[in-house]
Amino acid sequence: MEFSSKLLENAVNEVAMLPGIGKRTAMRLVLHLLKQPAERTLLLTDAVTKMRNEIIYCQNCHNISDFAVCEICNNPSRDYSIICVVEDVRDVMAIENTRMYKGIYHVLGGKISPIEGVSPSQLNINSLVEKVKQQKVSEIIFALSSTMEGDTTNFYIFKQIKPFSINVSTIARGISVGDELEYADEVTLGRSLLQRIPFESSMKSI
């Protein structure tokens, strides 16, 4: 792709680094921004810069938040005794969209993956174990994607919290094996949460 401007080329190359954005799509987006009034483009860049500099992670669940404790953890109508364990913030959004879950969350920040060099120590697992030790937790729900890495992560956490004798369940396999949670439709995901099964039972089918 030939560029008449180095500034344009640099902008296209940066946008093309975003997931799912190729060079041609990046070019269309950049040219669109170029046609907009300058203040419109500045609003976008200011919003992105402000998000990058000011956004924080909830000290309780590690969800993205504007405050030290996120709105979900601060909501008195939530059931604090039930913790849904997810991979990242996109999964929190997907489950919240079902409007069928009333507990709180724990965002791991990824999955154990030796191939990609992701070890348990790099995830928010220790803080989850501490919650089980210190708080009145009645149930942990594993809601990680049904992939090899997801199952490995589930099993690792299960071994860490097994001595504390709490209910450990996993969302029903209405979510296809190998599917990412964020792409599941809301009805399927909601039913999977409602029809969750004991984690040990799910291990027998692996």
Side-chain angles (χ1 to χ4, degrees), residues 62 85-86 106-113 118-133 140 142 144 149 152-161:
H62 309 288
V85 180
V86 297
H106 187 91
V107 181
L108 294 177
K111 293 175 289 193
I112 297 172
S113 177
V118 181
S119 66
S121 62
Q122 294 172 275
L123 304 178
N124 299 318
I125 294 177
N126 288 339
S127 56
L128 175 62
V129 176
E130 285 302 313
K131 286 180 186 178
V132 174
K133 285 181 181 178
I140 294 289
F142 289 137
L144 273 63
E149 292 81 6
T152 298
T153 306
N154 286 340
F155 185 63
Y156 178 87
I157 297 173
F158 177 69
K159 289 194 298 182
Q160 301 298 308
I161 62 178

Side-chain angles (χ1 to χ4, degrees), residues 163-181:
F164 302 103
S165 300
I166 63 169
N167 292 328
V168 181
S169 60
T170 183
I171 57 176
R173 297 297 186 174
I175 308 299
S176 301
V177 174
D179 278 0
E180 294 292 338
L181 203 65

Side-chain angles (χ1 to χ4, degrees), residues 6-201:
K6 193 67 177 176
L7 294 172
L8 178 65
E9 181 180 3
N10 289 341
V12 169
N13 287 338
E14 288 301 318
V15 174
M17 294 179 67
L18 295 171
I21 303 293
K23 278 287 181 73
R24 292 187 183 279
T25 302
M27 171 68 88
R28 287 198 297 271
L29 292 172
V30 169
L31 290 177
H32 172 76
L33 289 173
L34 197 57
K35 291 177 183 177
Q36 300 301 303
E39 57 269 21
R40 183 71 237 169
T41 306
L42 290 174
L43 284 173
L44 172 62
T45 56
D46 181 60
V48 173
T49 301
K50 196 168 184 179
M51 175 196 70
R52 189 65 186 87
N53 293 336
E54 298 181 17
I55 208 163
I56 58 179
Y57 291 90
C58 175
Q59 63 187 20
N60 289 344
C61 70
H62 309 288
N63 188 19
I64 283 177
S65 177
D66 294 338
F67 309 100
V69 178
C70 73
E71 291 183 358
I72 295 174
C73 289
N74 247 335
N75 188 340
S77 69
R78 308 295 291 221
D79 185 347
Y80 298 110
S81 70
I82 302 177
I83 299 177
C84 184
V85 180
V86 297
E87 179 183 348
D88 62 31
V89 296
R90 292 172 298 179
D91 300 328
V92 173
M93 295 175 187
I95 293 173
E96 283 298 284
N97 283 338
T98 70
R99 301 183 183 276
M100 294 184 183
Y101 177 66
K102 300 304 180 185
I104 58 174
Y105 297 90
H106 187 91
V107 181
L108 294 177
K111 293 175 289 193
I112 297 172
S113 177
I115 294 176
E116 296 179 6
V118 181
S119 66
S121 62
Q122 294 172 275
L123 304 178
N124 299 318
I125 294 177
N126 288 339
S127 56
L128 175 62
V129 176
E130 285 302 313
K131 286 180 186 178
V132 174
K133 285 181 181 178
Q134 300 174 10
Q135 299 180 5
K136 295 179 179 179
V137 179
S138 64
E139 182 180 7
I140 294 289
I141 304 171
F142 289 137
L144 273 63
S145 301
S146 52
T147 59
M148 181 68 74
E149 292 81 6
D151 288 340
T152 298
T153 306
N154 286 340
F155 185 63
Y156 178 87
I157 297 173
F158 177 69
K159 289 194 298 182
Q160 301 298 308
I161 62 178
K162 190 174 182 179
F164 302 103
S165 300
I166 63 169
N167 292 328
V168 181
S169 60
T170 183
I171 57 176
R173 297 297 186 174
I175 308 299
S176 301
V177 174
D179 278 0
E180 294 292 338
L181 203 65
E182 62 178 298
Y183 300 123
D185 66 272
E186 294 172 7
V187 174
T188 300
L189 182 55
R191 287 177 178 172
S192 293
L193 279 165
L194 292 176
Q195 298 169 5
R196 59 187 180 270
I197 58 177
F199 179 67
E200 287 186 279
S201 299

